Amino acid sequence: MTKINSSLHSSRRKSRKSHFSAPSSVRRVIMSAPLNKELREKYNVRSIPIRKDDEVMITRGSNKGREAKVTSVYRLKYLVHLERVSREKSNGQSVPIGIHPSKCVITKLKLDKDRESILERIKKGREIKAKAKET
């Protein structure tokens, strides 16, 4: 059997290298978060790259169930920082806790015309795929 996508490696070593040395544009796509059920029904889209000012709910870890607004997307570390999700340092200073976007669910999108066009494009692709499946 031949490889379907020749640009992807099945080697653990090469996959890890490409993941950790990925450029910012690729990291954006890797840092996608799933949409909640209502948004998924509305837009017919499963996940979308996370951005600042989106509202998310944490689904894993000790902060599970907390809803917060994204304050920063830290692409270098593959993390997002959320409002009021922080811990105290020994000197009393507050430090934001980094959370991976896959461990969050987007509950409210910050929409602008670029984001709307992305949602529309994905939706069209899904509809075409569904029609092809029927025939």
Side-chain angles (χ1 to χ4, degrees):
M1 194 170 120
T2 60
K3 215 185 230 187
I4 296 165
N5 189 347
S6 61
S7 66
L8 295 174
H9 289 284
S10 55
S11 160
R12 173 179 162 85
R13 179 187 190 177
K14 290 178 182 177
S15 295
R16 283 179 58 82
K17 182 172 171 57
S18 67
H19 178 81
F20 293 110
S21 63
S24 183
S25 58
V26 175
R27 284 174 186 247
R28 176 182 164 271
V29 178
I30 293 170
M31 291 178 72
S32 290
L35 301 179
N36 68 358
K37 287 206 168 66
E38 294 86 56
L39 291 175
R40 204 182 299 174
E41 290 294 316
K42 185 178 177 184
Y43 297 111
N44 195 16
V45 173
R46 189 171 185 83
S47 68
I48 193 164
I50 203 161
R51 69 170 280 185
K52 191 178 172 181
D53 296 331
D54 280 346
E55 288 183 26
V56 299
M57 187 176 83
I58 303 169
T59 57
R60 292 283 182 271
S62 57
N63 292 303
K64 183 178 180 175
R66 286 179 74 177
E67 290 204 37
K69 195 175 187 181
V70 177
T71 54
S72 72
V73 178
Y74 203 153
R75 286 190 190 166
L76 193 68
K77 290 186 176 180
Y78 287 107
L79 297 171
V80 291
H81 292 141
L82 306 174
E83 217 170 63
R84 298 183 309 278
V85 178
S86 57
R87 64 187 299 257
E88 296 288 316
K89 282 171 61 170
S90 58
N91 64 3
Q93 191 180 354
S94 182
V95 182
I97 296 173
I99 293 165
H100 196 274
S102 67
K103 307 303 174 200
C104 301
V105 169
I106 298 174
T107 54
K108 190 176 174 198
L109 289 166
K110 175 162 193 302
L111 288 174
D112 54 12
K113 70 172 193 284
D114 292 330
R115 207 112 189 259
E116 285 170 359
S117 70
I118 290 167
L119 288 168
E120 194 60 41
R121 191 176 66 223
I122 297 170
K123 188 176 183 177
K124 274 184 189 164
R126 286 259 169 116
E127 287 167 356
I128 292 167
K129 211 173 192 179
K131 279 182 185 173
K133 221 173 217 180
E134 288 171 7
T135 56

mmCIF file of all heavy atoms in Angstrom, residues 81-102:
data_model
loop_
_atom_site.group_PDB
_atom_site.id
_atom_site.type_symbol
_atom_site.label_atom_id
_atom_site.label_comp_id
_atom_site.label_asym_id
_atom_site.label_seq_id
_atom_site.Cartn_x
_atom_site.Cartn_y
_atom_site.Cartn_z
ATOM 1 N N HIS A 81 -3.902 31.341 27.119
ATOM 2 C CA HIS A 81 -4.086 31.858 28.468
ATOM 3 C C HIS A 81 -5.498 32.392 28.567
ATOM 4 O O HIS A 81 -5.977 33.082 27.667
ATOM 5 C CB HIS A 81 -3.058 32.947 28.775
ATOM 6 C CG HIS A 81 -1.673 32.434 28.869
ATOM 7 N ND1 HIS A 81 -0.587 33.125 28.377
ATOM 8 C CD2 HIS A 81 -1.169 31.280 29.377
ATOM 9 C CE1 HIS A 81 0.511 32.424 28.594
ATOM 10 N NE2 HIS A 81 0.185 31.299 29.199
ATOM 11 N N LEU A 82 -6.174 32.068 29.670
ATOM 12 C CA LEU A 82 -7.560 32.442 29.853
ATOM 13 C C LEU A 82 -7.716 33.420 31.008
ATOM 14 O O LEU A 82 -6.911 33.427 31.942
ATOM 15 C CB LEU A 82 -8.412 31.191 30.114
ATOM 16 C CG LEU A 82 -8.292 30.072 29.080
ATOM 17 C CD1 LEU A 82 -9.076 28.854 29.532
ATOM 18 C CD2 LEU A 82 -8.778 30.523 27.722
ATOM 19 N N GLU A 83 -8.774 34.219 30.921
ATOM 20 C CA GLU A 83 -9.087 35.202 31.954
ATOM 21 C C GLU A 83 -9.425 34.487 33.267
ATOM 22 O O GLU A 83 -10.202 33.532 33.272
ATOM 23 C CB GLU A 83 -10.315 35.994 31.490
ATOM 24 C CG GLU A 83 -10.294 37.444 31.849
ATOM 25 C CD GLU A 83 -11.407 38.199 31.140
ATOM 26 O OE1 GLU A 83 -12.582 37.885 31.414
ATOM 27 O OE2 GLU A 83 -11.091 39.068 30.317
ATOM 28 N N ARG A 84 -8.851 34.940 34.355
ATOM 29 C CA ARG A 84 -9.109 34.407 35.700
ATOM 30 C C ARG A 84 -8.749 32.930 35.877
ATOM 31 O O ARG A 84 -9.210 32.286 36.811
ATOM 32 C CB ARG A 84 -10.583 34.635 36.103
ATOM 33 C CG ARG A 84 -10.986 36.100 36.185
ATOM 34 C CD ARG A 84 -12.413 36.276 36.643
ATOM 35 N NE ARG A 84 -13.367 35.492 35.890
ATOM 36 C CZ ARG A 84 -13.876 35.828 34.716
ATOM 37 N NH1 ARG A 84 -13.489 36.964 34.134
ATOM 38 N NH2 ARG A 84 -14.759 35.059 34.114
ATOM 39 N N VAL A 85 -7.931 32.371 34.981
ATOM 40 C CA VAL A 85 -7.418 31.010 35.184
ATOM 41 C C VAL A 85 -5.920 31.182 35.418
ATOM 42 O O VAL A 85 -5.127 31.255 34.485
ATOM 43 C CB VAL A 85 -7.697 30.097 33.965
ATOM 44 C CG1 VAL A 85 -7.122 28.716 34.190
ATOM 45 C CG2 VAL A 85 -9.194 30.008 33.711
ATOM 46 N N SER A 86 -5.562 31.306 36.704
ATOM 47 C CA SER A 86 -4.172 31.580 37.061
ATOM 48 C C SER A 86 -3.852 30.929 38.394
ATOM 49 O O SER A 86 -4.732 30.416 39.074
ATOM 50 C CB SER A 86 -3.938 33.093 37.143
ATOM 51 O OG SER A 86 -4.824 33.660 38.074
ATOM 52 N N ARG A 87 -2.567 30.951 38.751
ATOM 53 C CA ARG A 87 -2.149 30.432 40.057
ATOM 54 C C ARG A 87 -1.235 31.451 40.725
ATOM 55 O O ARG A 87 -0.628 32.298 40.049
ATOM 56 C CB ARG A 87 -1.466 29.070 39.912
ATOM 57 C CG ARG A 87 -0.171 29.085 39.144
ATOM 58 C CD ARG A 87 0.375 27.698 38.899
ATOM 59 N NE ARG A 87 0.663 26.982 40.118
ATOM 60 C CZ ARG A 87 1.869 26.798 40.624
ATOM 61 N NH1 ARG A 87 2.928 27.271 39.994
ATOM 62 N NH2 ARG A 87 2.039 26.135 41.732
ATOM 63 N N GLU A 88 -1.144 31.334 42.017
ATOM 64 C CA GLU A 88 -0.320 32.261 42.798
ATOM 65 C C GLU A 88 1.107 31.726 42.902
ATOM 66 O O GLU A 88 1.310 30.547 43.188
ATOM 67 C CB GLU A 88 -0.892 32.414 44.207
ATOM 68 C CG GLU A 88 -2.273 33.029 44.271
ATOM 69 C CD GLU A 88 -2.269 34.513 43.956
ATOM 70 O OE1 GLU A 88 -1.390 35.237 44.469
ATOM 71 O OE2 GLU A 88 -3.152 34.938 43.179
ATOM 72 N N LYS A 89 2.069 32.601 42.668
ATOM 73 C CA LYS A 89 3.463 32.221 42.896
ATOM 74 C C LYS A 89 3.756 32.374 44.390
ATOM 75 O O LYS A 89 2.953 32.926 45.133
ATOM 76 C CB LYS A 89 4.388 33.138 42.088
ATOM 77 C CG LYS A 89 4.429 32.749 40.615
ATOM 78 C CD LYS A 89 5.152 33.755 39.750
ATOM 79 C CE LYS A 89 6.600 33.974 40.101
ATOM 80 N NZ LYS A 89 7.311 34.777 39.094
ATOM 81 N N SER A 90 4.912 31.872 44.799
ATOM 82 C CA SER A 90 5.261 31.922 46.229
ATOM 83 C C SER A 90 5.371 33.355 46.742
ATOM 84 O O SER A 90 5.155 33.618 47.918
ATOM 85 C CB SER A 90 6.567 31.166 46.479
ATOM 86 O OG SER A 90 7.601 31.723 45.699
ATOM 87 N N ASN A 91 5.692 34.301 45.856
ATOM 88 C CA ASN A 91 5.793 35.696 46.292
ATOM 89 C C ASN A 91 4.444 36.430 46.189
ATOM 90 O O ASN A 91 4.373 37.632 46.395
ATOM 91 C CB ASN A 91 6.869 36.445 45.500
ATOM 92 C CG ASN A 91 6.538 36.562 44.027
ATOM 93 O OD1 ASN A 91 5.480 36.137 43.574
ATOM 94 N ND2 ASN A 91 7.451 37.157 43.271
ATOM 95 N N GLY A 92 3.377 35.688 45.837
ATOM 96 C CA GLY A 92 2.042 36.279 45.790
ATOM 97 C C GLY A 92 1.617 36.785 44.424
ATOM 98 O O GLY A 92 0.484 37.203 44.235
ATOM 99 N N GLN A 93 2.541 36.748 43.470
ATOM 100 C CA GLN A 93 2.224 37.223 42.123
ATOM 101 C C GLN A 93 1.345 36.201 41.397
ATOM 102 O O GLN A 93 1.526 34.999 41.559
ATOM 103 C CB GLN A 93 3.527 37.430 41.346
ATOM 104 C CG GLN A 93 3.366 38.157 40.041
ATOM 105 C CD GLN A 93 4.696 38.325 39.323
ATOM 106 O OE1 GLN A 93 5.749 37.996 39.866
ATOM 107 N NE2 GLN A 93 4.645 38.828 38.108
ATOM 108 N N SER A 94 0.404 36.678 40.595
ATOM 109 C CA SER A 94 -0.507 35.817 39.858
ATOM 110 C C SER A 94 0.051 35.537 38.464
ATOM 111 O O SER A 94 0.469 36.462 37.765
ATOM 112 C CB SER A 94 -1.873 36.495 39.754
ATOM 113 O OG SER A 94 -2.761 35.659 39.093
ATOM 114 N N VAL A 95 0.057 34.246 38.069
ATOM 115 C CA VAL A 95 0.599 33.848 36.767
ATOM 116 C C VAL A 95 -0.470 33.045 36.018
ATOM 117 O O VAL A 95 -1.075 32.136 36.593
ATOM 118 C CB VAL A 95 1.854 32.958 36.949
ATOM 119 C CG1 VAL A 95 2.446 32.574 35.611
ATOM 120 C CG2 VAL A 95 2.881 33.658 37.793
ATOM 121 N N PRO A 96 -0.731 33.378 34.746
ATOM 122 C CA PRO A 96 -1.748 32.623 34.010
ATOM 123 C C PRO A 96 -1.320 31.176 33.751
ATOM 124 O O PRO A 96 -0.142 30.894 33.535
ATOM 125 C CB PRO A 96 -1.884 33.389 32.691
ATOM 126 C CG PRO A 96 -0.623 34.161 32.553
ATOM 127 C CD PRO A 96 -0.131 34.439 33.934
ATOM 128 N N ILE A 97 -2.302 30.262 33.815
ATOM 129 C CA ILE A 97 -2.031 28.850 33.539
ATOM 130 C C ILE A 97 -2.267 28.628 32.045
ATOM 131 O O ILE A 97 -3.313 29.015 31.522
ATOM 132 C CB ILE A 97 -2.966 27.940 34.361
ATOM 133 C CG1 ILE A 97 -2.706 28.114 35.850
ATOM 134 C CG2 ILE A 97 -2.802 26.481 33.960
ATOM 135 C CD1 ILE A 97 -3.687 27.390 36.736
ATOM 136 N N GLY A 98 -1.302 27.994 31.391
ATOM 137 C CA GLY A 98 -1.451 27.692 29.976
ATOM 138 C C GLY A 98 -2.266 26.433 29.773
ATOM 139 O O GLY A 98 -2.055 25.429 30.454
ATOM 140 N N ILE A 99 -3.216 26.478 28.841
ATOM 141 C CA ILE A 99 -4.067 25.333 28.554
ATOM 142 C C ILE A 99 -4.037 25.065 27.058
ATOM 143 O O ILE A 99 -4.113 25.999 26.251
ATOM 144 C CB ILE A 99 -5.506 25.591 29.045
ATOM 145 C CG1 ILE A 99 -5.489 25.661 30.573
ATOM 146 C CG2 ILE A 99 -6.465 24.522 28.568
ATOM 147 C CD1 ILE A 99 -6.687 26.232 31.187
ATOM 148 N N HIS A 100 -3.915 23.794 26.691
ATOM 149 C CA HIS A 100 -3.895 23.442 25.264
ATOM 150 C C HIS A 100 -5.293 23.595 24.679
ATOM 151 O O HIS A 100 -6.274 23.200 25.325
ATOM 152 C CB HIS A 100 -3.395 22.002 25.080
ATOM 153 C CG HIS A 100 -2.999 21.706 23.681
ATOM 154 N ND1 HIS A 100 -3.908 21.289 22.735
ATOM 155 C CD2 HIS A 100 -1.807 21.793 23.036
ATOM 156 C CE1 HIS A 100 -3.287 21.127 21.577
ATOM 157 N NE2 HIS A 100 -2.009 21.429 21.735
ATOM 158 N N PRO A 101 -5.407 24.177 23.474
ATOM 159 C CA PRO A 101 -6.729 24.429 22.888
ATOM 160 C C PRO A 101 -7.598 23.187 22.697
ATOM 161 O O PRO A 101 -8.820 23.284 22.733
ATOM 162 C CB PRO A 101 -6.410 25.051 21.531
ATOM 163 C CG PRO A 101 -5.043 25.567 21.648
ATOM 164 C CD PRO A 101 -4.341 24.724 22.638
ATOM 165 N N SER A 102 -6.979 22.014 22.521
ATOM 166 C CA SER A 102 -7.771 20.802 22.331
ATOM 167 C C SER A 102 -8.486 20.394 23.611
ATOM 168 O O SER A 102 -9.410 19.587 23.579
ATOM 169 C CB SER A 102 -6.887 19.653 21.843
ATOM 170 O OG SER A 102 -5.979 19.268 22.845
#
